[in-house]
């Protein structure tokens, strides 16, 4: 049985309040900001603060794809190195003990993929298996956790799972679409490092991973993704995501639970990616949960914004911090369009 040995989450240093971001939007996208109903997105997002790769003023100047991607590489390596060292210390292992590395990211590009550079920096064995996963977006935290658990089942004793996203670097100045404006109100930067291993008593066991369930929704590629333009990765997403959650999530979660023989009545913890305030509400409605039940998802959204794949891992960290117990569901949706669920047990 794969277990979570440790988790470390973190952000870059530039903290921005939502009111500051709102004012900046008037310069960043002046035509859209002049429409009061659109500007209300900042107030309705239920976000107080976010963290960005660069000071807010940097985003008000034009930057090309190459420059933004260079920042992505620099910041991803620095943050992932710090978090990996923290996660290894918590797990009580050395870099040489890591047998596999899973790296999830969708907000920049690099070949060689960045986990290979981190392996050299940290002294991870050069024979360690590498599994870089790109393009999963917000679903990447759940998918990466599931694939890391699969590697443990395959016999790898210590698996490092990294999810790093710098969504702020995908904002495109002059893109007068509502998607870009909403992204300006939601997107933020952050990363997480997790160590997983077998449940053999050799280290901490914060959570057991029982199984996972993936669903690719047909004819849905336009719901979320990137369009590649001269100035970078241009966001594309639909306002119909909350409606889709309401339509499908109840039956989809039921299918996921059947994989491990559980029922929803047995679930005590819900670790849900907070794509936005309306998405959280849609999850609660679809799963028949009391309004406000997803406390950890709301807190992460309020304090950090939407950091794509790493966000659900911040929710997991908050859930553990609050003393999680019993069976749980970790859930996220992302480009494809897809739903990803991981069935976990926090013990008693």
């Amino acid at each position: 049985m794969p277990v979570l040995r440790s988790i470390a989450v973190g952000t870059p240093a530039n903290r921005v309040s939502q009111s500051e971001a709102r004012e900046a939007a008037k310069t960043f996208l002046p035509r859209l900001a002049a429409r009061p109903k659109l500007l209300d997105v900042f107030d309705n997002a239920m976000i107080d603060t976010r963290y960005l790769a660069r000071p807010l003023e940097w985003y008000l100047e034009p930057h090309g794809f190459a420059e933004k991607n260079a920042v992505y590489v620099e910041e991803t390596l620095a943050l992932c190195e710090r978090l990996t060292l923290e996660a290894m210390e918590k797990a009580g292992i050395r870099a040489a003990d890591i047998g596999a590395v899973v790296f999830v990211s969708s907000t920049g590009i690099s070949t060689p993929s960045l986990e290979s550079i981190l392996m050299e920096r940290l002294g991870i064995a050069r024979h360690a298996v590498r599994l870089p996963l790109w393009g999963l977006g917000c679903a990447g935290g759940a998918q990466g956790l599931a694939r890391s658990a699969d590697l443990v089942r395959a016999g790898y004793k210590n698996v490092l799972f990294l999810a790093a996203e710098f969504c702020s670097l995908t904002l495109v100045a002059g893109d007068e679409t509502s998607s870009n404006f909403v992204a300006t109100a939601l997107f933020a930067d952050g990363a997480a490092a997790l160590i997983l291993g077998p449940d053999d008593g050799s280290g901490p066991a914060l959570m057991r991973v029982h199984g996972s369930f993936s669903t690719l929704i047909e004819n849905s590629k336009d719901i979320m993704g990137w369009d590649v333009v001269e100035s970078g990765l241009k966001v594309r997403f639909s306002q119909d995501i909350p409606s889709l959650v309401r339509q499908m999530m109840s039956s989809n979660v039921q299918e996921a639970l059947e994989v491990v023989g559980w029922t929803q009545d047995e679930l005590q913890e819900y670790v849900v990616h907070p794509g936005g305030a309306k998405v959280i509400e849609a999850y609660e409605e679809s799963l028949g949960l009391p309004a406000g039940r997803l406390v950890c998802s709301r807190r992460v959204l309020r304090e950090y914004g939407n950091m794509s794949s790493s966000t659900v891992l911040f929710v997991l960290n908050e859930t553990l911090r609050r003393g999680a117990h019993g069976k749980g569901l970790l859930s996220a949706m992302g480009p494809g369009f897809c739903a990803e669920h991981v069935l976990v047990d926090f013990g008693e």
Side-chain angles (χ1 to χ4, degrees), residues 233-253:
L233 301 173
K234 176 182 171 182
V235 69
R236 167 176 22 102
F237 57 65
S238 167
Q239 297 181 0
D240 295 332
I241 295 174
S243 298
L244 183 60
V245 171
R246 289 186 178 90
Q247 292 168 14
M248 66 163 286
M249 196 52 62
S250 178
S251 60
N252 193 244
V253 166

PDB file of all heavy atoms in Angstrom, residues 233-253:
ATOM      1  N   LEU A 233       1.414  31.607 -23.442  1.00  0.00           N
ATOM      2  CA  LEU A 233       0.312  30.661 -23.306  1.00  0.00           C
ATOM      3  C   LEU A 233      -0.947  31.435 -22.927  1.00  0.00           C
ATOM      4  O   LEU A 233      -1.050  31.993 -21.837  1.00  0.00           O
ATOM      5  CB  LEU A 233       0.644  29.621 -22.230  1.00  0.00           C
ATOM      6  CG  LEU A 233       1.909  28.800 -22.474  1.00  0.00           C
ATOM      7  CD1 LEU A 233       2.228  27.922 -21.271  1.00  0.00           C
ATOM      8  CD2 LEU A 233       1.775  27.954 -23.737  1.00  0.00           C
ATOM      9  N   LYS A 234      -1.890  31.467 -23.819  1.00  0.00           N
ATOM     10  CA  LYS A 234      -3.119  32.241 -23.642  1.00  0.00           C
ATOM     11  C   LYS A 234      -4.208  31.331 -23.095  1.00  0.00           C
ATOM     12  O   LYS A 234      -4.527  30.296 -23.680  1.00  0.00           O
ATOM     13  CB  LYS A 234      -3.543  32.846 -24.976  1.00  0.00           C
ATOM     14  CG  LYS A 234      -4.861  33.595 -24.954  1.00  0.00           C
ATOM     15  CD  LYS A 234      -5.189  34.099 -26.354  1.00  0.00           C
ATOM     16  CE  LYS A 234      -6.593  34.671 -26.417  1.00  0.00           C
ATOM     17  NZ  LYS A 234      -6.940  35.109 -27.793  1.00  0.00           N
ATOM     18  N   VAL A 235      -4.780  31.708 -21.968  1.00  0.00           N
ATOM     19  CA  VAL A 235      -5.732  30.843 -21.275  1.00  0.00           C
ATOM     20  C   VAL A 235      -7.041  30.713 -22.047  1.00  0.00           C
ATOM     21  O   VAL A 235      -7.519  31.655 -22.684  1.00  0.00           O
ATOM     22  CB  VAL A 235      -5.995  31.360 -19.845  1.00  0.00           C
ATOM     23  CG1 VAL A 235      -6.766  32.676 -19.857  1.00  0.00           C
ATOM     24  CG2 VAL A 235      -6.745  30.320 -19.026  1.00  0.00           C
ATOM     25  N   ARG A 236      -7.587  29.511 -21.970  1.00  0.00           N
ATOM     26  CA  ARG A 236      -8.892  29.232 -22.539  1.00  0.00           C
ATOM     27  C   ARG A 236      -9.690  28.421 -21.540  1.00  0.00           C
ATOM     28  O   ARG A 236      -9.281  27.332 -21.159  1.00  0.00           O
ATOM     29  CB  ARG A 236      -8.721  28.458 -23.854  1.00  0.00           C
ATOM     30  CG  ARG A 236      -9.992  27.850 -24.395  1.00  0.00           C
ATOM     31  CD  ARG A 236      -9.811  27.174 -25.749  1.00  0.00           C
ATOM     32  NE  ARG A 236      -8.463  26.766 -26.082  1.00  0.00           N
ATOM     33  CZ  ARG A 236      -8.032  25.511 -25.995  1.00  0.00           C
ATOM     34  NH1 ARG A 236      -8.817  24.567 -25.529  1.00  0.00           N
ATOM     35  NH2 ARG A 236      -6.801  25.208 -26.366  1.00  0.00           N
ATOM     36  N   PHE A 237     -10.791  28.963 -21.039  1.00  0.00           N
ATOM     37  CA  PHE A 237     -11.678  28.130 -20.249  1.00  0.00           C
ATOM     38  C   PHE A 237     -13.112  28.618 -20.319  1.00  0.00           C
ATOM     39  O   PHE A 237     -13.386  29.779 -20.611  1.00  0.00           O
ATOM     40  CB  PHE A 237     -11.220  27.969 -18.790  1.00  0.00           C
ATOM     41  CG  PHE A 237     -11.045  29.232 -18.004  1.00  0.00           C
ATOM     42  CD1 PHE A 237     -12.116  30.059 -17.700  1.00  0.00           C
ATOM     43  CD2 PHE A 237      -9.794  29.572 -17.519  1.00  0.00           C
ATOM     44  CE1 PHE A 237     -11.951  31.186 -16.954  1.00  0.00           C
ATOM     45  CE2 PHE A 237      -9.612  30.717 -16.770  1.00  0.00           C
ATOM     46  CZ  PHE A 237     -10.686  31.534 -16.491  1.00  0.00           C
ATOM     47  N   SER A 238     -14.001  27.683 -20.056  1.00  0.00           N
ATOM     48  CA  SER A 238     -15.432  27.920 -20.195  1.00  0.00           C
ATOM     49  C   SER A 238     -16.050  28.310 -18.850  1.00  0.00           C
ATOM     50  O   SER A 238     -15.605  27.875 -17.797  1.00  0.00           O
ATOM     51  CB  SER A 238     -16.110  26.653 -20.726  1.00  0.00           C
ATOM     52  OG  SER A 238     -17.506  26.738 -20.609  1.00  0.00           O
ATOM     53  N   GLN A 239     -17.087  29.123 -18.928  1.00  0.00           N
ATOM     54  CA  GLN A 239     -17.842  29.474 -17.726  1.00  0.00           C
ATOM     55  C   GLN A 239     -18.790  28.349 -17.310  1.00  0.00           C
ATOM     56  O   GLN A 239     -19.448  28.455 -16.273  1.00  0.00           O
ATOM     57  CB  GLN A 239     -18.634  30.762 -17.968  1.00  0.00           C
ATOM     58  CG  GLN A 239     -17.769  31.975 -18.231  1.00  0.00           C
ATOM     59  CD  GLN A 239     -18.579  33.237 -18.453  1.00  0.00           C
ATOM     60  OE1 GLN A 239     -19.811  33.213 -18.410  1.00  0.00           O
ATOM     61  NE2 GLN A 239     -17.903  34.339 -18.721  1.00  0.00           N
ATOM     62  N   ASP A 240     -18.832  27.275 -18.094  1.00  0.00           N
ATOM     63  CA  ASP A 240     -19.767  26.176 -17.827  1.00  0.00           C
ATOM     64  C   ASP A 240     -19.211  25.124 -16.873  1.00  0.00           C
ATOM     65  O   ASP A 240     -19.878  24.118 -16.603  1.00  0.00           O
ATOM     66  CB  ASP A 240     -20.154  25.485 -19.141  1.00  0.00           C
ATOM     67  CG  ASP A 240     -20.931  26.404 -20.058  1.00  0.00           C
ATOM     68  OD1 ASP A 240     -21.603  27.308 -19.550  1.00  0.00           O
ATOM     69  OD2 ASP A 240     -20.852  26.207 -21.292  1.00  0.00           O
ATOM     70  N   ILE A 241     -17.991  25.322 -16.356  1.00  0.00           N
ATOM     71  CA  ILE A 241     -17.385  24.296 -15.501  1.00  0.00           C
ATOM     72  C   ILE A 241     -18.228  24.008 -14.261  1.00  0.00           C
ATOM     73  O   ILE A 241     -18.467  22.829 -13.941  1.00  0.00           O
ATOM     74  CB  ILE A 241     -15.936  24.681 -15.133  1.00  0.00           C
ATOM     75  CG1 ILE A 241     -15.076  24.697 -16.399  1.00  0.00           C
ATOM     76  CG2 ILE A 241     -15.357  23.701 -14.120  1.00  0.00           C
ATOM     77  CD1 ILE A 241     -13.672  25.208 -16.195  1.00  0.00           C
ATOM     78  N   PRO A 242     -18.734  25.014 -13.530  1.00  0.00           N
ATOM     79  CA  PRO A 242     -19.594  24.680 -12.378  1.00  0.00           C
ATOM     80  C   PRO A 242     -20.824  23.861 -12.772  1.00  0.00           C
ATOM     81  O   PRO A 242     -21.203  22.928 -12.052  1.00  0.00           O
ATOM     82  CB  PRO A 242     -19.989  26.057 -11.824  1.00  0.00           C
ATOM     83  CG  PRO A 242     -18.867  26.961 -12.239  1.00  0.00           C
ATOM     84  CD  PRO A 242     -18.461  26.458 -13.602  1.00  0.00           C
ATOM     85  N   SER A 243     -21.425  24.182 -13.911  1.00  0.00           N
ATOM     86  CA  SER A 243     -22.588  23.410 -14.374  1.00  0.00           C
ATOM     87  C   SER A 243     -22.202  21.976 -14.680  1.00  0.00           C
ATOM     88  O   SER A 243     -22.949  21.030 -14.369  1.00  0.00           O
ATOM     89  CB  SER A 243     -23.187  24.061 -15.627  1.00  0.00           C
ATOM     90  OG  SER A 243     -23.651  25.356 -15.349  1.00  0.00           O
ATOM     91  N   LEU A 244     -21.032  21.792 -15.276  1.00  0.00           N
ATOM     92  CA  LEU A 244     -20.560  20.445 -15.580  1.00  0.00           C
ATOM     93  C   LEU A 244     -20.332  19.646 -14.301  1.00  0.00           C
ATOM     94  O   LEU A 244     -20.670  18.459 -14.231  1.00  0.00           O
ATOM     95  CB  LEU A 244     -19.265  20.532 -16.390  1.00  0.00           C
ATOM     96  CG  LEU A 244     -18.653  19.219 -16.860  1.00  0.00           C
ATOM     97  CD1 LEU A 244     -19.619  18.468 -17.764  1.00  0.00           C
ATOM     98  CD2 LEU A 244     -17.341  19.472 -17.593  1.00  0.00           C
ATOM     99  N   VAL A 245     -19.779  20.297 -13.278  1.00  0.00           N
ATOM    100  CA  VAL A 245     -19.579  19.628 -11.987  1.00  0.00           C
ATOM    101  C   VAL A 245     -20.914  19.170 -11.426  1.00  0.00           C
ATOM    102  O   VAL A 245     -21.054  18.024 -10.953  1.00  0.00           O
ATOM    103  CB  VAL A 245     -18.863  20.567 -10.991  1.00  0.00           C
ATOM    104  CG1 VAL A 245     -18.855  19.956  -9.590  1.00  0.00           C
ATOM    105  CG2 VAL A 245     -17.439  20.862 -11.445  1.00  0.00           C
ATOM    106  N   ARG A 246     -21.912  20.034 -11.489  1.00  0.00           N
ATOM    107  CA  ARG A 246     -23.234  19.676 -10.963  1.00  0.00           C
ATOM    108  C   ARG A 246     -23.843  18.507 -11.726  1.00  0.00           C
ATOM    109  O   ARG A 246     -24.507  17.650 -11.147  1.00  0.00           O
ATOM    110  CB  ARG A 246     -24.167  20.883 -11.032  1.00  0.00           C
ATOM    111  CG  ARG A 246     -23.843  21.991 -10.032  1.00  0.00           C
ATOM    112  CD  ARG A 246     -24.903  23.090 -10.054  1.00  0.00           C
ATOM    113  NE  ARG A 246     -24.607  24.107  -9.069  1.00  0.00           N
ATOM    114  CZ  ARG A 246     -23.874  25.187  -9.302  1.00  0.00           C
ATOM    115  NH1 ARG A 246     -23.370  25.392 -10.521  1.00  0.00           N
ATOM    116  NH2 ARG A 246     -23.649  26.066  -8.348  1.00  0.00           N
ATOM    117  N   GLN A 247     -23.613  18.448 -13.030  1.00  0.00           N
ATOM    118  CA  GLN A 247     -24.215  17.409 -13.855  1.00  0.00           C
ATOM    119  C   GLN A 247     -23.578  16.037 -13.655  1.00  0.00           C
ATOM    120  O   GLN A 247     -24.276  15.023 -13.657  1.00  0.00           O
ATOM    121  CB  GLN A 247     -24.103  17.802 -15.333  1.00  0.00           C
ATOM    122  CG  GLN A 247     -24.935  18.994 -15.736  1.00  0.00           C
ATOM    123  CD  GLN A 247     -24.566  19.507 -17.118  1.00  0.00           C
ATOM    124  OE1 GLN A 247     -23.869  18.825 -17.871  1.00  0.00           O
ATOM    125  NE2 GLN A 247     -25.009  20.707 -17.447  1.00  0.00           N
ATOM    126  N   MET A 248     -22.249  16.009 -13.471  1.00  0.00           N
ATOM    127  CA  MET A 248     -21.561  14.725 -13.552  1.00  0.00           C
ATOM    128  C   MET A 248     -20.917  14.240 -12.271  1.00  0.00           C
ATOM    129  O   MET A 248     -20.639  13.057 -12.129  1.00  0.00           O
ATOM    130  CB  MET A 248     -20.469  14.798 -14.617  1.00  0.00           C
ATOM    131  CG  MET A 248     -19.329  15.754 -14.279  1.00  0.00           C
ATOM    132  SD  MET A 248     -17.837  15.490 -15.274  1.00  0.00           S
ATOM    133  CE  MET A 248     -17.197  13.985 -14.547  1.00  0.00           C
ATOM    134  N   MET A 249     -20.647  15.139 -11.313  1.00  0.00           N
ATOM    135  CA  MET A 249     -19.756  14.763 -10.222  1.00  0.00           C
ATOM    136  C   MET A 249     -20.341  13.697  -9.308  1.00  0.00           C
ATOM    137  O   MET A 249     -19.614  12.811  -8.831  1.00  0.00           O
ATOM    138  CB  MET A 249     -19.354  15.995  -9.412  1.00  0.00           C
ATOM    139  CG  MET A 249     -18.140  15.770  -8.513  1.00  0.00           C
ATOM    140  SD  MET A 249     -16.709  15.076  -9.400  1.00  0.00           S
ATOM    141  CE  MET A 249     -16.347  16.365 -10.580  1.00  0.00           C
ATOM    142  N   SER A 250     -21.613  13.726  -9.035  1.00  0.00           N
ATOM    143  CA  SER A 250     -22.205  12.739  -8.141  1.00  0.00           C
ATOM    144  C   SER A 250     -22.003  11.322  -8.671  1.00  0.00           C
ATOM    145  O   SER A 250     -21.498  10.439  -7.960  1.00  0.00           O
ATOM    146  CB  SER A 250     -23.696  13.014  -7.950  1.00  0.00           C
ATOM    147  OG  SER A 250     -24.278  12.034  -7.115  1.00  0.00           O
ATOM    148  N   SER A 251     -22.370  11.087  -9.929  1.00  0.00           N
ATOM    149  CA  SER A 251     -22.227   9.740 -10.492  1.00  0.00           C
ATOM    150  C   SER A 251     -20.761   9.386 -10.709  1.00  0.00           C
ATOM    151  O   SER A 251     -20.369   8.228 -10.549  1.00  0.00           O
ATOM    152  CB  SER A 251     -23.001   9.640 -11.807  1.00  0.00           C
ATOM    153  OG  SER A 251     -22.519  10.581 -12.746  1.00  0.00           O
ATOM    154  N   ASN A 252     -19.947  10.372 -11.058  1.00  0.00           N
ATOM    155  CA  ASN A 252     -18.539  10.109 -11.306  1.00  0.00           C
ATOM    156  C   ASN A 252     -17.813   9.703 -10.029  1.00  0.00           C
ATOM    157  O   ASN A 252     -16.995   8.779 -10.032  1.00  0.00           O
ATOM    158  CB  ASN A 252     -17.882  11.348 -11.923  1.00  0.00           C
ATOM    159  CG  ASN A 252     -16.521  11.078 -12.491  1.00  0.00           C
ATOM    160  OD1 ASN A 252     -15.524  11.619 -12.015  1.00  0.00           O
ATOM    161  ND2 ASN A 252     -16.434  10.234 -13.505  1.00  0.00           N
ATOM    162  N   VAL A 253     -18.114  10.367  -8.928  1.00  0.00           N
ATOM    163  CA  VAL A 253     -17.516   9.997  -7.640  1.00  0.00           C
ATOM    164  C   VAL A 253     -17.988   8.606  -7.232  1.00  0.00           C
ATOM    165  O   VAL A 253     -17.214   7.804  -6.693  1.00  0.00           O
ATOM    166  CB  VAL A 253     -17.850  11.048  -6.561  1.00  0.00           C
ATOM    167  CG1 VAL A 253     -17.536  10.526  -5.159  1.00  0.00           C
ATOM    168  CG2 VAL A 253     -17.065  12.333  -6.824  1.00  0.00           C
TER     169      VAL A 253
END
